[in-house]
Amino acid sequence: EGGGDMAAGGAGDREGRCGPAAGGLALLGLVPGAPSCPHGPALLFVKTSQGKEEGRRFYACSACRDRKDCNFFQWEDEKVSKTRLAAREEYNRSHQPFFTHRQNAERYKNFVLLPLSKRRFCQECQQLLLPAEWEKHSDHQFLCDISTAQLKSPSRILYPLENKKTNAQYLFADRSCEFLLDLIIDLGFRRVLSVGTPRLHEIIQSKASQEEDFRVRSLLLDIDFRYSQFYAEDEFCHYNMFNHYFFGGEAARETCRKFLYQDNGERVIMVTDPPFGGLVEALASSFKKLMAMWKETEEGEEGGIQEMPTFWIFPYFFESRILEFFPSFSMMDYQVDYDNHALYKHGKTGRRQSPVRIFTNLTPSTIVLPVEEGYRFCTICQRYVTSGNKHCEICNSCTSKDGRQWKHCVLCKKCVKPSWFHCNNCNCCALQNHTCEKTDAGCFVCGKAGHKRSTCPSLSHA
Ligand code: SAH
Ligand code: ZN
Ligand code: ZN
Ligand code: ZN
Ligand code: ZN
């Protein structure tokens, strides 16, 4: 099945299965009084087995799923001594970036005053250097002659972070980035809250500084602090979208609030492209908090019952998860392409298409998709769909999720992937070579629900 590397995110295994996910970790979320790691308040988790919570609850880092990146761990009921707490606070302090955002903004001002020949970027430290610092980095690789144009495209200077589990950065291909911006402008938005979308932010900032009549503004919220070297404090906030944590404290929060305040009827949209690691619940709860912030600023205005307009860019197989938290959202067929991920490149063959879509609370018919790329408008569904997505007469909807034409199964009473077949054992459609074991359909031995045949209690009695 497609998806390839996407499966590494834990989401791929949701495909081709009828039953609930097997054992794993369940997220309980952000709870008041949670202890903090360098990435802000930790999240509460619990071990699960066959969908049931069991075992002790514990706190772990919200941002890093790889223990190598942040090894914060604490049992929920663990007593932490005063000395350990103090040591932890010290650790958290010492793990903050060397320069503050303010210092970085000051450094940037000095950097742009330098002649081209003195503008260097250290590739090892991922840092703009001032001449007095060259010495310290003398055995590092530099990028030299950093132009103003380069400074306006930091995502092309910084190397994309590649840690699969924690922070894989997949940057938009120009085609997709331009499409998003044009769409945003055509929809009449003038402010973009860019949450984890540095490349969208940078084309907006870059156009704003170059084109007289370009009126769009953007604020970038991202956990990648390297960006603070290129943006002022009202253009970038160091932010963790898994726990809604502003590293810059109340001042940064206020920057965000101010940005969301719509003066002269300038409309705001939130655009976010989070890592696909799976913590949909945590993301949704942060986005709700950002939406609430937007709402506060709306007070007193007429018709203030709305939700902040949002584009949440995420793989299609998370659709039901996203809709669980945002019933007002719908998934658009547009395939979002990335630069630095081979699997996501737009293919002609139908394979290797991007699984990434736009989820939005805007009216689907207003999201116009490019006809020259094969999208068409379905008048019945009142939305643009991809060319392979045929309208099913029985479902009365364009049912394909992945761009391939899906087929209707009369037994399942819905459309399914072209590669699936109806399995009478499982009583649903699945891949032909699937294993007929479904916990919620009952055990093969005794027929009772809740366990598989390998753990059937009636076997141990025998
Ligand atoms: N396609 C986007 C980039 C998406 S990659 C673009 O081209 O603009 C995911 C982004 O989310 C990265 O910028 C990464 O730094 C950011 N990110 C990852 N974890 C985060 C977290 N916990 N909080 C905030 N941002 C995070
Ligand atoms: Zn952490
Ligand atoms: Zn249709
Ligand atoms: Zn159908
Ligand atoms: Zn079926």
Side-chain angles (χ1 to χ4, degrees):
E1 272 298 275
D5 188 44
M6 300 300 300
D13 64 356
R14 238 162 265 211
E15 292 187 283
R17 267 220 224 145
C18 314
L25 291 180
L27 172 68
L28 298 171
L30 191 61
V31 298
S36 285
C37 71
H39 305 95
L43 298 178
L44 189 60
F45 293 85
V46 66
K47 242 186 128 133
T48 60
S49 167
Q50 297 189 351
K52 288 197 199 76
E53 290 179 14
E54 59 181 41
R56 270 163 101 185
R57 301 168 168 212
F58 63 89
Y59 293 103
C61 176
S62 59
C64 311
R65 299 198 313 142
D66 192 335
R67 287 286 206 101
K68 275 189 246 124
D69 297 314
C70 179
N71 63 4
F72 183 86
F73 179 93
Q74 184 188 313
W75 295 113
E76 185 192 27
D77 54 7
E78 191 176 335
K79 290 261 179 309
V80 183
S81 71
K82 279 227 165 72
T83 34
R84 240 187 87 200
L85 270 181
R88 184 184 284 165
E89 262 170 44
E90 180 47 37
Y91 177 88
N92 289 350
R93 251 196 307 278
S94 69
H95 277 72
Q96 294 311 319
F98 184 74
F99 291 118
T100 63
H101 192 174
R102 177 139 322 152
Q103 287 170 322
N104 272 338
E106 202 53 45
R107 293 166 57 82
Y108 182 84
K109 280 188 197 151
N110 293 324
F111 190 89
V112 292
L113 294 176
L114 297 169
L116 209 56
S117 62
K118 293 198 166 158
R119 291 191 191 170
R120 290 189 180 176
F121 175 79
C122 175
Q123 291 187 297
E124 239 149 297
C125 306
Q126 293 284 294
Q127 201 189 339
L128 295 172
L129 298 180
L130 296 171
E133 297 158 344
W134 291 0
E135 187 68 45
K136 265 192 295 184
H137 299 258
S138 56
D139 51 350
H140 295 172
Q141 296 267 345
F142 298 138
L143 281 179
C144 296
D145 302 341
I146 304 291
S147 67
T148 307
Q150 279 177 297
L151 288 174
K152 285 187 175 143
S153 289
S155 76
R156 290 168 207 270
I157 300 182
L158 303 167
Y159 61 73
L161 301 176
E162 261 168 1
N163 184 315
K164 279 248 159 60
K165 282 188 171 162
T166 297
N167 192 359
Q169 289 181 318
Y170 296 125
L171 299 166
F172 293 133
D174 292 338
R175 192 185 70 87
S176 284
C177 207
E178 296 284 347
F179 164 77
L180 282 170
L181 180 55
D182 289 348
L183 180 61
I184 288 165
I185 294 172
D186 290 346
L187 288 165
F189 294 103
R190 290 296 170 266
R191 282 161 184 262
V192 182
L193 184 66
S194 296
V195 185
T197 54
R199 193 156 265 182
L200 179 64
H201 176 72
E202 86 189 15
I203 64 164
I204 295 174
Q205 293 297 94
S206 171
K207 287 193 190 215
S209 72
Q210 280 161 327
E211 296 169 24
E212 271 287 321
D213 52 353
F214 188 84
R215 297 260 169 272
V216 186
R217 294 293 175 275
S218 170
L219 173 67
L220 175 63
L221 306 187
D222 202 290
I223 202 164
D224 187 351
F225 193 66
R226 296 176 305 170
Y227 281 99
S228 71
Q229 300 178 82
F230 302 88
Y231 298 120
E233 285 171 281
D234 59 356
E235 297 171 319
F236 169 78
C237 295
H238 191 200
Y239 174 78
N240 182 350
M241 62 168 115
F242 289 112
N243 58 4
H244 186 61
Y245 181 68
F246 285 87
F247 292 81
E250 195 43 51
R253 202 177 273 273
E254 194 48 40
T255 300
C256 182
R257 203 173 282 131
K258 265 207 190 116
F259 183 83
L260 294 177
Y261 185 79
Q262 319 183 336
D263 39 324
N264 350 315
E266 290 184 332
R267 300 181 61 217
V268 187
I269 183 168
M270 167 160 68
V271 181
T272 183
D273 186 11
F276 310 145
L279 297 177
V280 175
E281 228 169 315
L283 292 169
S285 118
S286 297
F287 300 155
K288 288 197 170 163
K289 285 173 188 157
L290 289 170
M291 287 171 163
M293 238 180 183
W294 171 85
K295 205 148 192 174
E296 283 166 29
T297 68
E298 285 283 274
E299 253 175 7
E301 284 185 36
E302 311 226 349
I305 27 161
Q306 280 176 332
E307 207 170 58
M308 167 158 66
T310 300
F311 286 163
W312 178 347
I313 296 164
F314 225 49
Y316 70 83
F317 38 80
F318 280 105
E319 183 185 25
S320 62
R321 291 287 287 152
I322 291 182
L323 266 53
E324 227 177 273
F325 298 101
F326 292 106
S328 62
F329 280 31
S330 43
M331 186 173 86
M332 301 296 100
D333 265 21
Y334 184 78
Q335 301 194 359
V336 180
D337 281 348
Y338 295 86
D339 252 1
N340 56 335
H341 201 305
L343 277 172
Y344 300 157
K345 290 229 172 92
H346 196 70
K348 295 185 197 82
T349 54
R351 296 305 290 165
R352 294 208 155 195
Q353 295 189 28
S354 166
V356 183
R357 304 287 183 271
I358 301 169
F359 293 84
T360 185
N361 49 5
L362 297 173
T363 311
S365 62
T366 64
I367 312 296
V368 179
L369 304 186
V371 175
E372 62 280 10
E373 285 175 36
Y375 298 99
R376 65 175 175 91
F377 189 70
C378 173
T379 48
I380 306 169
C381 297
Q382 283 293 301
R383 67 179 182 103
Y384 281 82
V385 293
T386 187
S387 53
N389 195 356
K390 295 283 178 308
H391 190 88
C392 169
E393 301 291 336
I394 308 166
C395 296
N396 195 28
S397 121
C398 290
T399 45
S400 170
K401 303 290 182 194
D402 60 10
R404 295 177 291 169
Q405 185 174 351
W406 285 25
K407 57 182 188 190
H408 192 87
C409 170
V410 284
L411 295 167
C412 289
K413 298 190 175 68
K414 64 177 185 187
C415 283
V416 298
K417 291 185 177 184
S419 52
W420 286 15
F421 295 89
H422 193 84
C423 167
N424 288 321
N425 271 339
C426 297
N427 203 23
C428 71
C429 281
L431 278 174
Q432 196 138 47
N433 60 358
H434 72 289
T435 28
C436 293
E437 253 188 341
K438 213 180 124 203
T439 49
D440 62 348
C443 162
F444 262 65
V445 181
C446 70
K448 291 199 182 106
H451 61 267
K452 296 179 184 177
R453 62 183 148 190
S454 54
T455 51
C456 180
S458 72
L459 285 182
S460 50
H461 289 290

